[in-house]
Amino acid sequence: MAEVLVYVDHVDGAVRKPTLELLTLARRIGEPVAVAVGGGAAGTAGVLAEHGAVRVLTAEAPEFADYLVVPKVDALQAAHDAVSPVAVLVPSSAEGKEIAARLAVRIGSGVITDAVDLEAGEQGPVATQSAFAASFTTRSRVSRGTPVITVKPNSAPVEAAPAAGAVEALAVSFSAQATGTKVLSRTPRESTGRPELTEAAIVVSGGRGVNGAENFAVIEALADSLGAAVGASRAAVDAGWYPHSSQVGQTGKSVSPQLYIASGISGAIQHRAGMQTSKTIVAINKDAEAPIFDLVDYGVVGDLFQVVPQLTEEVNARKG
Ligand SMILES: Cc1cc2nc3c(=O)[nH]c(=O)nc-3n(C[C@H](O)[C@H](O)[C@H](O)COP(=O)(O)OP(=O)(O)OC[C@H]3O[C@@H](n4cnc5c(N)ncnc54)[C@H](O)[C@@H]3O)c2cc1C
C-alpha cells in the first residue's frame, strides 16, 4: 500500500494533538509513515504507533533546535526521497506552513495549505479548504509532484489504530542554508494552564461587549469550566483587555474547534474569517440583530454578564 508521510509536531517527545489528527487523515489515503526530528524524537514512536504509524523515521541533531526551519525541511526532504510517498501531511501551524512551502518548492510539487478535510481520490488526495472568510468551500488536489498538504487542527478525530511503528533512523545531510539563521535564545511563554488556542477543542471568546480587562475573568471562568482556550476579538485586544496572541480572526489566529462560544462579539467578517469553520458555534449577544447570529448553531440574546456566569455554574454543577 502507498505510504503517506506525516510530519510530527512534538515537544521533547510529547506529540501534539494535531499530529495524531493527521494520522487519522493519512490512513484514508495510505499507510502513515511518521517523521519526527529533534530532541526526544525517538520517544514519539509509542504514541505514533498507537495511532497508526507503520514506521517512524527519526533524526536527532543539535541543528534542529539551534537553527530555524531549514534543518527540518532537509529532514522532511530526506524522508520524501527515501519513501516516495503519495502525499506529505504537515500540521497547519505557522512553522508547519513554512516547512511545507519550502519542501514543495524543493521537490517541485504543489502545496495546499489549511485543509480542513482530506479524502482519497482517483488522481491523488483531495483536500477541502474553506476560502474567503469561509464564504466558499473548495475541494482541490495537487496536479504536479507529491502533494504537500497542511491541515488545520481539529479537522479530524484522534483515533486509536495500533500499527507497527517501527523506528528507523533517518539519515539527514544538512544543506548550506540550514545553518543560516541561528537561534540565540528562547523565552518560554508563561503558561496559563489552558490549551493552546489554535489546537483547543473548545474556545471561549470575548469581544468589546466584555467591556474591560478585569471582566475577562467571566470569560476565563467559563473557559476553565470547559477546559477551553480563551480567545478575543480585535476590538477587545486593541483596547488592551486581552493579549494580542489571543486574537481570533483575519489578522489574528485561525481556530477550528469543536465548539466556539462568542460572547459580546458582533460577528464582523474579519472575526468570522478566523472561526467560521468551528464545528458548533454559540453566541451570546444582547443585540438580537448582531450579525454573529447569522452563523451560529445556538444563539442566546442576553447580557453576557448574566448568561455566562449561569452557564459556567451549570457546567460546573454537571461536572460535579
Ligand atoms: C483589516 C482588518 C483586519 C481585522 N482583523 C480582525 C481580526 O483578526 N479579528 C477581529 O475580531 N476583528 C478584526 N477586525 C476588526 C473587525 O472589523 C471588528 O471591528 C471587530 O471584530 C469588532 O469586535 P467586537 O465584535 O468585539 O466589537 P463590536 O463590533 O463593537 O461588537 C460588540 C458586540 O458586543 C455586544 N454587547 C455589548 N455589551 C454586551 C453585553 N453586556 N452582553 C452581550 N453582548 C454585548 C454588542 O451588541 C455588539 O454586538 C479587523 C478589521 C480590519 C479592517
Side-chain angles (χ1 to χ4, degrees):
M1 195 181 188
E3 293 184 312
V4 182
L5 279 188
V6 171
Y7 182 78
V8 177
D9 185 10
H10 71 99
V11 180
D12 299 330
V15 179
R16 301 179 76 151
K17 188 168 146 265
T19 300
L20 303 181
E21 296 164 5
L22 285 190
L23 288 170
T24 300
L25 294 175
R27 283 188 282 108
R28 292 186 191 163
I29 51 180
E31 287 193 326
V33 175
V35 182
V37 303
T44 62
V47 71
L48 295 171
E50 280 167 32
H51 294 88
V54 290
R55 295 197 280 154
V56 181
L57 311 183
T58 62
E60 297 194 26
E63 280 82 353
F64 294 118
D66 291 349
Y67 298 90
L68 294 182
V69 298
V70 182
K72 295 171 181 169
V73 181
D74 289 340
L76 198 51
Q77 185 176 9
H80 167 269
D81 294 349
V83 171
S84 298
V86 288
V88 181
L89 307 186
V90 183
S92 246
S93 59
E95 182 177 89
K97 283 190 266 192
E98 184 175 348
I99 291 171
R102 285 173 178 267
L103 176 72
V105 169
R106 285 192 188 186
I107 62 176
S109 290
V111 62
I112 293 175
T113 56
D114 288 338
V116 294
D117 202 3
L118 201 59
E119 65 200 71
E122 269 177 29
Q123 293 164 294
V126 178
T128 303
Q129 287 164 294
S130 182
F132 295 119
S135 313
F136 293 90
T137 299
T138 64
R139 294 174 75 249
S140 21
R141 69 176 172 78
V142 169
S143 56
R144 193 182 72 177
T146 309
V148 181
I149 302 169
T150 78
V151 181
K152 276 188 168 188
N154 294 307
S155 295
V158 172
E159 290 170 357
V167 180
E168 296 169 31
L170 176 68
V172 184
S173 50
F174 294 111
S175 59
Q177 303 96 311
T179 53
T181 317
K182 191 167 181 17
V183 177
L184 297 179
S185 67
R186 283 193 166 79
T187 310
R189 195 177 49 204
E190 229 171 87
S191 170
T192 59
R194 300 191 181 97
E196 165 66 31
L197 181 58
T198 54
E199 294 173 12
I202 305 176
V203 173
V204 181
S205 285
R208 203 195 306 270
V210 175
N211 199 26
E214 63 288 354
N215 295 341
F216 257 87
V218 173
I219 304 296
E220 289 176 335
L222 176 58
D224 291 342
S225 73
L226 293 164
V230 175
S233 72
R234 178 152 152 189
V237 162
D238 283 351
W241 302 340
Y242 225 66
H244 276 282
S245 55
S246 303
Q247 182 180 318
V248 172
Q250 184 184 314
T251 43
K253 301 249 170 83
S254 188
V255 302
S256 196
Q258 297 296 324
L259 173 63
Y260 187 88
I261 304 179
S263 305
I265 292 177
S266 62
I269 184 84
Q270 296 89 353
H271 187 79
R272 294 158 73 138
M275 46 66 75
Q276 203 158 4
T277 55
S278 305
K279 306 292 175 299
T280 301
I281 299 173
V282 176
I284 300 149
N285 196 303
K286 65 181 184 186
D287 175 9
E289 302 298 319
I292 190 98
F293 286 129
D294 293 343
L295 82 152
V296 297
D297 298 285
Y298 302 96
V300 182
V301 180
D303 184 336
L304 74 91
F305 295 106
Q306 288 176 5
V307 176
V308 175
Q310 286 182 54
L311 187 53
T312 308
E313 205 176 300
E314 190 62 32
V315 172
N316 284 331
R318 288 183 188 222
K319 282 198 304 195

